[in-house]
Amino acid sequence: MVTKSKNDYTIVWSIVALVIAALSIGYCFSHIIDLVGNGIERSRRAIAYLTRLMKGSV
């Protein structure tokens, strides 16, 4: 048994939402990559600092 949606434009709105999401990700992608790179660099520095602390060379 097939039920018909009350809104005939559901597929159109779904496609519009997907396009907006794709454009948002595309627009923010370079910023996301920068954040990930900065996070990795900061993590490496923190680990190096903690290692020096544990060795007693700080």
Side-chain angles (χ1 to χ4, degrees):
M1 183 155 137
V2 177
T3 58
K4 183 164 173 38
S5 173
K6 292 180 182 179
N7 187 354
D8 292 331
Y9 296 105
T10 53
I11 196 87
V12 173
W13 289 116
S14 296
I15 292 172
V16 168
L18 288 172
V19 167
I20 290 172
L23 289 173
S24 297
I25 291 172
Y27 179 74
C28 296
F29 192 71
S30 62
H31 302 294
I32 292 169
I33 295 299
D34 287 342
L35 285 174
V36 170
N38 289 340
I40 292 171
E41 183 179 336
R42 285 183 179 187
S43 296
R44 287 181 183 157
R45 281 190 277 158
I47 291 169
Y49 182 71
L50 288 173
T51 304
R52 287 185 307 207
L53 274 176
M54 290 193 298
K55 288 181 179 178
S57 61
V58 174

